[in-house]
Amino acid sequence: MYLKMVSMFHHVVTKSVKMLMKPMLSHLFGRRSCCWSSPWLSHILLAEGSEHILLIKGKGSSSISSDVSSSTDHTPTKAQKNAATSEDSDLSMRTLSTPSPALIFPPTSPGFQNGRGSSTSSSSVTGETVAMVHSPPPTRLTHPLIRLAAKQQKEQAHIDRLPDQSMIHIFSFLPTNQLCRCARVCRRWYNLAWDPRLWRTIRLTGETINVDRALKVLTRRLCQDTPNVCLMLETVIVSGCRRLTDRGLYTIAQCCPELRRLEVSGCYNISNEAVFDVVSLCPNLEHLDVSGCSKVTCISLTREASIKLSPLHGKQISIRYLDMTDCFVLEDEGLHTIAAHCTQLTHLYLRRCVRITDEGLRYLMIYCTSIKELSVSDCRFVSDFGMREIAKLESRLRYLSIAHCGRITDVGIRYIAKYCSKLRYLNARGCEGITDHGVEYLAKNCTKLKSLDIGKCPLVSDTGLEFLALNCFNLKRLSLKSCESITGQGLQIVAANCFDLQMLNVQDCDVSVDALRFVKRHCKRCIIEHTNPAFF
């Protein structure tokens, strides 16, 4: 009974193996070589993508006298000490040491023919089961699509080899919109792109972008770990985004209490209320740029914040840098409110705020005594009395721009020169009331002056340049554009004494080519801006 069951089992196994192996052998070696009655079996490919080929020797009977090895058996097949070795030096023979399913045949006499018709190995041992594994052939029998996929995977692996820190460093140079696109590539890039270290700054630009919605989506994503509060965001730059409204600023004010820098220049749709909310809910805000926001007329706390902080009213806004360029409707009263609330101001720019007068500057000097840089360019109502107020800043003032303030004369320059001895930069272009006497006061008192612009001052001549050259040896930038009284003699005096001169503007001046060449020889690093076609 036992023998009958064994015989039936062998019959079933033999038939199954024939059905499975015949198509494979037919594909590999043709129809003739897959006949089961041949004396020797040929190569058998274990699996698709396998790195080894199992070579099996067996008699030419249609029955199989060995069992099928189990895939769960982790015991390697042992070979006899006197097992035959390969006669081909390029092929290595070893016992099968990996637990994979294989057909095992009892070895018998002489070597068998491989697929190419040459003998590869032989065994003189009988009664032992031997499995020999050879190296794969040079050409692998895989599908072209599989090879293409493997090649693409190998090519894409270069970027994946970079560590996370390197990837984050690369992402740190991308603007906000590009960083959001990188987050959509794969899961790893998604996790890296939303690293908190990359989201200390939001920078959005473009006239057509829906900034309000973008800020809402970004802050919602950044508030996942800390609900309703975005603690890592410190800088928001949305300059030139004309679709920004108060709604977008409300989002920033409510979600970003740690905000330190806000730039909304050119966003003319925002109003005072939204700005009040930002400065009230972001106590650490230090840098505010609202240039070009024509509806902004004041910087102040909200009414609720003012009532709550009334004992310390005027000292709660920590803004140090404020740019209100082109805020045309700003008046003296608004400037008074700004000065009373922003007492820590060090940089204030009021270019083209045409309604500002000397009275507004008086309010400013009462509260903001730490100003280092001040610009009132194109404020046509500012006069010498305003210069007397600005002079109260004394040695703290380093930068002053009074360009195109037609009411300023030598009197105002004398106030500045007498009290602001550490002035480094002065832009007085278009102040037609300034003469050589004003330049003399300036040169003798502000000897550390590095940059001076007195273009379009027709009353300044070579005499003023001589005073300048003999006192301001550290001068690096000098603009004399459209100064009709300047000649080559004054330029030569300046070049002979100011060796560190780096920029000289003499456009629309009556200066000879020889004088320009003299400047070029003595000031090696000087860039000369001119309108003389003979000089190059």
Side-chain angles (χ1 to χ4, degrees):
M1 187 68 179
Y2 174 77
L3 295 176
K4 187 176 180 179
M5 293 177 63
V6 170
S7 177
M8 291 177 63
F9 175 78
H10 279 242
H11 178 71
V12 172
V13 170
T14 302
K15 188 175 180 179
S16 301
V17 171
K18 284 182 179 181
M19 293 176 64
L20 292 173
M21 299 304 296
K22 187 172 181 179
M24 185 181 297
L25 294 175
S26 176
H27 173 70
L28 295 177
F29 308 107
R31 296 182 179 275
R32 295 182 180 181
S33 62
C34 64
C35 181
W36 286 89
S37 61
S38 60
W40 301 101
L41 292 176
S42 298
H43 298 71
I44 298 177
L45 187 64
L46 290 179
E48 182 72 15
S50 174
E51 296 184 356
H52 300 88
I53 293 179
L54 182 66
L55 299 181
I56 303 172
K57 294 174 61 178
K59 286 186 178 181
S61 89
S62 61
S63 63
I64 300 176
S65 60
S66 298
D67 299 333
V68 178
S69 63
S70 173
S71 61
T72 58
D73 184 9
H74 295 272
T75 304
T77 306
K78 296 182 180 180
Q80 184 72 11
K81 292 182 180 180
N82 295 328
T85 59
S86 175
E87 295 178 357
D88 189 352
S89 59
D90 295 334
L91 298 177
S92 61
M93 183 183 69
R94 61 182 183 274
T95 58
L96 184 65
S97 60
T98 55
S100 60
L103 296 176
I104 309 299
F105 290 89
T108 55
S109 61
F112 60 92
Q113 302 293 326
N114 61 7
R116 298 180 181 178
S118 61
S119 176
T120 57
S121 59
S122 62
S123 176
S124 60
V125 180
T126 58
E128 291 286 343
T129 300
V130 179
M132 293 172 289
V133 181
H134 287 252
S135 300
T139 303
R140 296 183 58 182
L141 301 175
T142 57
H143 195 277
L145 293 178
I146 298 178
R147 291 198 300 269
L148 180 61
K151 183 179 180 180
Q152 292 178 351
Q153 184 178 5
K154 185 178 295 183
E155 292 177 354
Q156 295 175 355
H158 294 294
I159 188 68
D160 293 334
R161 294 174 185 173
L162 291 176
D164 291 349
Q165 294 297 330
S166 299
M167 293 291 293
I168 292 175
H169 183 67
I170 294 173
F171 286 165
S172 65
F173 294 97
L174 299 178
T176 301
N177 56 339
Q178 296 294 336
L179 191 60
C180 293
R181 291 180 181 179
C182 289
R184 301 171 61 183
V185 173
C186 61
R187 183 171 295 276
R188 180 180 180 236
W189 282 33
Y190 177 85
N191 294 329
L192 294 177
W194 287 105
D195 188 279
R197 289 170 290 183
L198 298 176
W199 291 97
R200 294 178 181 174
T201 300
I202 290 179
R203 186 187 300 271
L204 299 173
T205 57
E207 297 181 1
T208 59
I209 185 173
N210 191 345
V211 186
D212 293 346
R213 187 172 183 273
L215 291 175
K216 183 177 181 180
V217 173
L218 289 174
T219 53
R220 182 184 301 173
R221 175 58 181 82
L222 296 175
C223 292
Q224 285 186 353
D225 297 332
T226 54
N228 300 325
V229 177
C230 183
L231 297 177
M232 75 284 294
L233 188 60
E234 297 180 354
T235 302
V236 175
I237 301 175
V238 289
S239 300
C241 298
R242 298 184 178 181
R243 296 183 63 182
L244 177 69
T245 64
D246 289 349
R247 185 179 301 176
L249 285 189
Y250 289 147
T251 302
I252 295 298
Q254 294 172 1
C255 299
C256 307
E258 297 298 324
L259 190 68
R260 296 180 180 274
R261 179 170 181 169
L262 176 63
E263 296 185 14
V264 291
S265 62
C267 303
Y268 51 76
N269 288 320
I270 63 175
S271 62
N272 287 339
E273 288 72 17
V275 177
F276 291 175
D277 282 339
V278 171
V279 298
S280 299
L281 299 177
C282 303
N284 297 322
L285 187 66
E286 297 179 352
H287 184 113
L288 179 60
D289 185 353
V290 291
S291 58
C293 302
S294 55
K295 294 182 180 180
V296 177
T297 61
C298 185
I299 306 294
S300 176
L301 296 170
T302 59
R303 182 176 301 177
E304 295 78 8
S306 299
I307 296 175
K308 183 178 179 180
L309 303 173
S310 56
L312 299 176
H313 184 66
K315 298 184 179 180
Q316 297 304 309
I317 300 180
S318 57
I319 294 178
R320 298 178 182 274
Y321 181 104
L322 179 59
D323 191 347
M324 298 191 69
T325 300
D326 294 324
C327 292
F328 306 111
V329 294
L330 177 64
E331 298 180 347
D332 291 340
E333 189 61 31
L335 186 58
H336 184 191
T337 305
I338 292 173
H341 286 79
C342 306
T343 57
Q344 301 181 33
L345 278 176
T346 57
H347 298 70
L348 178 61
Y349 304 95
L350 304 173
R351 305 182 187 96
R352 291 180 290 278
C353 294
V354 294
R355 300 186 182 184
I356 296 297
T357 66
D358 297 334
E359 186 68 15
L361 294 180
R362 187 178 70 85
Y363 293 140
L364 187 64
M365 295 305 113
I366 292 175
Y367 298 98
C368 303
T369 58
S370 302
I371 292 180
K372 297 179 180 179
E373 296 189 10
L374 176 64
S375 175
V376 289
S377 299
D378 295 284
C379 296
R380 58 179 180 268
F381 294 116
V382 174
S383 65
D384 294 333
F385 293 101
M387 294 297 99
R388 185 180 63 179
E389 297 297 329
I390 293 175
K392 295 178 181 179
L393 295 172
E394 298 181 347
S395 60
R396 292 182 292 274
L397 186 65
R398 303 298 176 89
Y399 173 104
L400 178 62
S401 178
I402 53 175
H404 304 288
C405 293
R407 297 189 179 188
I408 296 178
T409 64
D410 289 341
V411 177
I413 295 297
R414 188 168 184 174
Y415 279 119
I416 298 297
K418 182 177 181 181
Y419 296 100
C420 303
S421 58
K422 293 186 178 181
L423 191 67
R424 299 291 189 272
Y425 176 98
L426 177 63
N427 183 0
R429 175 179 293 188
C431 297
E432 297 181 357
I434 297 178
T435 65
D436 291 334
H437 296 289
V439 176
E440 180 182 358
Y441 295 143
L442 187 67
K444 289 183 178 180
N445 292 275
C446 302
T447 57
K448 295 183 179 181
L449 198 66
K450 293 184 178 181
S451 179
L452 177 63
D453 188 346
I454 49 176
K456 297 184 179 180
C457 295
L459 301 179
V460 176
S461 64
D462 294 339
T463 303
L465 292 185
E466 184 176 356
F467 287 114
L468 195 64
L470 296 177
N471 293 276
C472 301
F473 303 108
N474 296 322
L475 196 63
K476 294 184 177 181
R477 300 175 64 89
L478 177 62
S479 178
L480 305 171
K481 183 178 180 180
S482 301
C483 288
E484 301 172 357
S485 302
I486 297 296
T487 65
Q489 182 179 359
L491 288 184
Q492 291 179 1
I493 297 175
V494 172
N497 292 272
C498 303
F499 302 106
D500 294 334
L501 197 64
Q502 298 178 3
M503 194 282 292
L504 176 64
N505 189 342
V506 289
Q507 295 178 355
D508 301 321
C509 294
D510 187 13
V511 180
S512 64
V513 176
D514 294 335
L516 295 177
R517 291 175 180 172
F518 184 89
V519 174
K520 195 65 177 177
R521 284 197 304 268
H522 286 76
C523 304
K524 301 294 184 181
R525 297 182 297 174
C526 183
I527 298 175
I528 303 176
E529 298 180 15
H530 62 92
T531 53
N532 193 332
F535 178 74
F536 54 90

